[in-house]
Amino acid sequence: MSDHLPPPRPSAPVADPWESIDDLCGWLDAKRPVDGPDGLLLRILKLSEEVGEVAEAVIGATGQNPRKGTTHTWDDVQSELCDVAVTALVALRTLTPDAREVFTRHLAQVTRRSLGAQAG
């Protein structure tokens, strides 16, 4: 198996996605060729690659490249969006062992800021 492929999926859904994020972060840490600050920056930059794959899938799903035609499905777009989310959470976990709390607190702030006026 290639080093850049993710580990096999668990057979049953994981009750706590943060356990999977911790596991993925540990797996990536064990296999990363660059450590230290540069390794951290590369892990964060991986987000740009994943976002590019979302764009490629949207262009492919809508057939916007006349040379290639329709090359992707909306299921592909969903999958790529999930990759962005996982990559972002792994990057956050790489920055802090308190990723769960940081994300939960930030989500609450965004929710209050965005939906707070509606809650009345």
Side-chain angles (χ1 to χ4, degrees):
M1 181 188 295
S2 174
D3 284 345
H4 66 281
L5 295 176
R9 292 183 181 165
S11 57
V14 177
D16 180 4
W18 286 101
E19 290 177 21
S20 292
I21 296 300
D22 286 342
D23 291 346
L24 287 167
C25 195
W27 176 75
L28 289 167
D29 286 348
K31 296 194 175 289
R32 71 175 157 197
V34 178
D35 285 325
D38 289 343
L40 172 62
L41 293 175
L42 290 168
R43 181 122 352 134
I44 293 169
L45 285 176
K46 177 72 173 161
L47 275 167
S48 293
E49 179 186 5
E50 295 297 341
V51 168
E53 291 176 11
V54 171
E56 180 181 10
V58 169
I59 289 167
T62 58
Q64 291 302 301
N65 184 335
R67 186 174 53 82
K68 294 181 180 180
T70 302
T71 58
H72 291 74
T73 66
W74 288 105
D75 285 343
D76 294 328
V77 175
Q78 290 176 14
S79 178
E80 296 298 345
L81 285 168
C82 289
D83 286 349
V84 169
V86 169
T87 301
L89 294 176
V90 167
L92 179 61
R93 176 58 183 83
T94 301
L95 278 173
T96 176
D98 299 324
R100 176 196 305 249
E101 292 78 17
V102 169
F103 180 76
T104 300
R105 185 172 54 247
H106 186 77
L107 181 59
Q109 290 170 349
V110 170
T111 301
R112 274 192 308 277
R113 183 176 65 229
S114 300
L115 303 177
Q118 296 176 11

